Amino acid sequence: MRIVALAGGIGGARFLRGLKDVVAPGDEITVIGNTGDDIHLFGLKVCPDLDTVMYTLGGGIHEEQGWGRAEESFAVKDELTAYGVGPSWFGLGDKDFATHIVRTQMLGAGYPLSAVTEALCDRWQPGVRLLPMSDDRVETHVKITTGDTSGSAAGSGTRAIHFQEYWVKLHASVDAEAIIPVGADTAKPAPGVLEAIAAADVILFPPSNPVVSIGTILAVPGIREAVAKASAPVVGLSPIIGGAPVRGMADKVLAAVGVEATAAAVALHYGADLIDGWLVDEADAEAVTEVAASGIPCRAIPLLMSDPAATAAMARAALELAEQVRA
């Protein structure tokens, strides 16, 4: 079986680990990773979502954080701070720096991001084929208003900031007014992306952020269309449980696109033209009828990734629902 998953962030990476635990020998998993979170820091190209998938599946992730390397140190960051070089709010560890140095060197030598990602995965052996959504530069920006709306004071008024600044520095403490995937409209899918979608037997939307992770992937011209017309069933899992994101601040970016932070609303945001099945948590069982009424078969199961067994059960349920809607 050929499985394609669109993924970004911690939730997506952890779900993929559960998916690996339940697939049969010989099954192939292709992950199309979000690159809208990518940022240039200290002269280096940093790809947080690609790296989180790679480290998680390759056994190098900091399990408690869900991001960064295990047993990490921050000597380089401390030295940069001593020189007054920022930003200080984004913590790159010493081991992590090595990944970004290799990536930046290869990109500078002319290799596309897809080839660089493949080379990095040669070391980590994640057990999946990890593809960036695009080799082109795409960066998610967030429109916010802060302080004096006249804009007369430094740092005040309406402005667009990089998603990482909004998420990591500001902790989504101000309302997001718009989400702008800068460069997505002119980007092209990375080599292998459209082919993987067309050849898939199952397509999965893990419980990743539907706006700035999966939504950004779908914003690359050709990808949403390929998923919509694919012969494979498309099954998604809600990142919202009981009216709140399982982790992170997805409710803030959902509000920016006019979507309520509910399991049913996220399903309807994707729409019956895109997804063929939807899983919600048992706490949101009342959403099953609403989602089904829109033409999307829906089931309620435990969706907290509390341990490997629970995560594997979620992945198994997604594959089972895919088989049901296929029939």
Side-chain angles (χ1 to χ4, degrees), residues 121-247:
C121 285
D122 281 343
R123 174 195 174 180
W124 288 100
Q125 295 295 308
V128 303
R129 183 186 184 199
L130 178 58
L131 300 175
M133 65 188 195
S134 178
D135 283 334
D136 299 319
R137 183 171 178 174
V138 179
E139 291 185 359
T140 301
H141 288 206
V142 182
K143 181 182 176 183
I144 63 169
T145 298
T146 58
D148 179 5
T149 57
S150 70
S152 60
S156 67
T158 299
R159 58 197 178 105
I161 60 175
H162 194 285
F163 172 74
Q164 295 295 350
E165 183 177 352
Y166 180 74
W167 209 249
V168 179
K169 181 181 180 180
L170 299 182
H171 302 289
S173 58
V174 297
D175 290 339
E177 299 173 18
I179 307 298
I180 308 139
V182 178
D185 57 338
T186 57
K188 296 178 180 179
V193 166
L194 298 183
E195 294 82 357
I197 293 170
D201 297 304
V202 177
I203 299 173
L204 299 177
F205 289 5
S208 299
N209 192 304
V211 180
V212 295
S213 291
I214 295 178
T216 305
I217 298 171
L218 294 172
V220 175
I223 295 183
R224 184 184 186 94
E225 295 80 1
V227 172
K229 72 178 184 180
S231 59
V234 181
V235 172
L237 297 91
S238 175
I240 304 294
I241 295 179
V246 176
R247 66 177 299 141

Side-chain angles (χ1 to χ4, degrees), residues 13 16-17 20 29 31 50-59 117-131:
L16 291 168
R17 189 161 55 186
K20 281 181 58 183
I29 302 173
V31 179
L50 293 179
D51 291 346
T52 295
V53 171
M54 183 175 70
Y55 292 155
T56 299
L57 301 185
T117 302
E118 182 179 4
L120 293 172
C121 285
D122 281 343
R123 174 195 174 180
W124 288 100
Q125 295 295 308
V128 303
R129 183 186 184 199
L130 178 58
L131 300 175

Side-chain angles (χ1 to χ4, degrees), residues 40-326:
H40 286 78
L41 295 169
F42 312 111
L44 302 176
K45 170 81 165 180
V46 180
C47 300
D49 280 5
L50 293 179
D51 291 346
T52 295
V53 171
M54 183 175 70
Y55 292 155
T56 299
L57 301 185
I61 199 73
H62 188 300
E63 288 291 346
E64 290 73 26
Q65 291 179 165
W67 53 269
R69 293 283 302 278
E71 301 178 355
E72 186 61 283
S73 57
F74 292 89
V76 174
K77 181 177 182 294
D78 291 343
E79 286 296 306
L80 288 168
T81 300
Y83 280 115
V85 176
S88 59
W89 48 265
F90 201 99
L92 294 179
D94 299 329
K95 295 178 182 179
D96 207 19
F97 261 110
T99 298
H100 310 315
I101 290 170
V102 173
R103 176 185 292 117
T104 306
Q105 286 182 332
M106 291 188 69
L107 289 171
Y111 291 96
L113 181 60
S114 51
V116 174
T117 302
E118 182 179 4
L120 293 172
C121 285
D122 281 343
R123 174 195 174 180
W124 288 100
Q125 295 295 308
V128 303
R129 183 186 184 199
L130 178 58
L131 300 175
M133 65 188 195
S134 178
D135 283 334
D136 299 319
R137 183 171 178 174
V138 179
E139 291 185 359
T140 301
H141 288 206
V142 182
K143 181 182 176 183
I144 63 169
T145 298
T146 58
D148 179 5
T149 57
S150 70
S152 60
S156 67
T158 299
R159 58 197 178 105
I161 60 175
H162 194 285
F163 172 74
Q164 295 295 350
E165 183 177 352
Y166 180 74
W167 209 249
V168 179
K169 181 181 180 180
L170 299 182
H171 302 289
S173 58
V174 297
D175 290 339
E177 299 173 18
I179 307 298
I180 308 139
V182 178
D185 57 338
T186 57
K188 296 178 180 179
V193 166
L194 298 183
E195 294 82 357
I197 293 170
D201 297 304
V202 177
I203 299 173
L204 299 177
F205 289 5
S208 299
N209 192 304
V211 180
V212 295
S213 291
I214 295 178
T216 305
I217 298 171
L218 294 172
V220 175
I223 295 183
R224 184 184 186 94
E225 295 80 1
V227 172
K229 72 178 184 180
S231 59
V234 181
V235 172
L237 297 91
S238 175
I240 304 294
I241 295 179
V246 176
R247 66 177 299 141
M249 298 148 283
D251 51 331
K252 289 296 187 73
V253 293
L254 282 167
V257 297
V259 178
E260 288 184 273
T262 68
V266 174
L268 300 180
H269 171 66
Y270 285 133
D273 62 328
L274 191 65
I275 59 173
D276 304 301
W278 187 245
L279 293 176
V280 301
D281 188 77
E282 291 174 325
D284 298 307
E286 74 282 353
V288 171
T289 301
E290 180 181 355
V291 174
S294 73
I296 304 170
C298 184
R299 308 285 184 271
I301 67 165
L303 282 188
L304 279 176
M305 292 185 283
S306 53
D307 56 48
T311 308
M314 288 169 52
R316 188 178 298 109
L319 295 176
E320 289 172 351
L321 181 54
E323 286 303 310
Q324 292 168 12
V325 300
R326 189 200 310 275

